[in-house]
């Protein structure tokens, strides 16, 4: 029973939050006078200033490391790793000197290793089955399947496209082609309705925004602005005021930042032929602060 615990490295650099100065970043964001610096700026300028300050703080206090992908199994624990290494040592000893004593010792540790692995798997599966979070459960089930659903190659006419940029262009054209172009010259008349309140009466107080941030799911993926729900929760005391200012300016001006109108689109295979672009559906990841403003309203 041999399990490798090696890592595959890549050229992608990511923030090393574990070894970063998180408290220094919090103090840096708290020192910003958001009311004074955002005074006189429009919505887009306030949003860009907000993002620049976050980016500057992260670059200053959080180091970057190369992304590593572990080959470890999800159920692997330190105790199991220790037994696996012990089994590997006895196996190497037996291979170097094939005596009966070395063989018996190797088989003894191999039996203990198999038992430890079975127990670790059983405990891990029981924990994710009892846990109400579907994300780790689905992730584990997906890791146990033999097949992997990849994108493409895509067929356009009689040509097969396999490079990433070419397939992205084809899927982009397919997804954008299904939208309906409305006839703006023939819009039905809607008579005004009497109402006591309007959307302009919404008030974005920092306490309400803080409560909404703390209720966000940390598993939610970030949009093009790369501001995650976990980052918002970890620095909630420093970010509620600038978000309140940006939300208010956006509502008063009727303009939202460009980042809020963009999305990271991921194609998900539905069924049928994998080389047909029409058999993929788009899943859009949009800005979490934008959805936060919608939730407050």
């Amino acid at each position: 029973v041999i399990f490798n615990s090696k890592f595959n490295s890549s050229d992608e650099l990511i923030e090393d939050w574990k070894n970063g100065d998180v408290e220094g970043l919090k103090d840096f964001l708290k020192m910003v006078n958001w009311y004074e610096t955002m005074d006189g700026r429009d919505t887009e300028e306030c949003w860009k200033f907000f993002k620049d300050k976050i980016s500057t703080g992260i670059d200053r206090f959080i180091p970057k490391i190369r992304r590593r992908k572990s080959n470890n199994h999800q159920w692997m624990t330190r105790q199991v790793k220790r037994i696996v290494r012990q089994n590997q040592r006895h196996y190497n000893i037996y291979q170097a000197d094939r005596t009966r004593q070395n063989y018996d010792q190797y088989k003894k540790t191999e039996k203990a290793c198999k038992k430890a692995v079975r127990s670790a798997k059983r405990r891990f599966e029981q924990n994710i089955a009892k846990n109400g979070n579907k994300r780790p459960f689905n992730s584990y089930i997906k890791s146990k399947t033999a097949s992997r659903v990849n994108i493409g190659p895509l067929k356009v006419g009689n040509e097969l496209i396999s490079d990433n940029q070419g397939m992205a262009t084809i899927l982009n054209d397919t997804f954008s082609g299904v939208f309906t172009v409305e006839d703006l010259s023939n819009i039905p008349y809607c008579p005004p309705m009497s109402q006591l309140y309007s959307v302009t009466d919404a008030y974005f107080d920092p306490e309400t925004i803080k409560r909404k941030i703390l209720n966000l799911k940390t598993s939610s993926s970030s949009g093009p602005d790369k501001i995650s729900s976990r980052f918002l929760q970890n620095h909630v005391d420093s970010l509620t005021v600038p978000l309140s200012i940006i939300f208010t300016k956006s509502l008063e001006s009727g303009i939202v930042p460009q980042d809020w109108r963009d999305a990271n689109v991921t194609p998900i295979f539905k069924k049928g032929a994998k080389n047909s672009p029409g058999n993929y559906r788009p899943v859009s990841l949009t800005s979490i602060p934008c959805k936060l403003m919608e939730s407050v309203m």
Side-chain angles (χ1 to χ4, degrees), residues 174-191:
T174 302
F175 295 155
S176 61
V178 300
F179 288 100
T180 303
V181 180
E182 300 291 345
D183 183 11
L184 300 180
S185 62
N186 188 21
I187 301 178
Y189 173 74
C190 181

Side-chain angles (χ1 to χ4, degrees), residues 151 154 156 161 163-177 267 277:
I151 299 174
L154 301 177
V156 179
I161 307 298
D163 64 288
N164 293 334
Q165 184 173 357
M167 291 192 297
T169 302
I170 294 171
L171 290 172
N172 181 60
D173 295 338
T174 302
F175 295 155
S176 61

Side-chain angles (χ1 to χ4, degrees), residues 23 32 50 85 88 147 179 195 226 259:
E23 294 300 323
V32 181
F50 175 72
R85 287 194 296 265
Q88 179 67 58
S147 61
F179 288 100
Q195 55 185 12
K226 298 181 180 180
D259 283 344

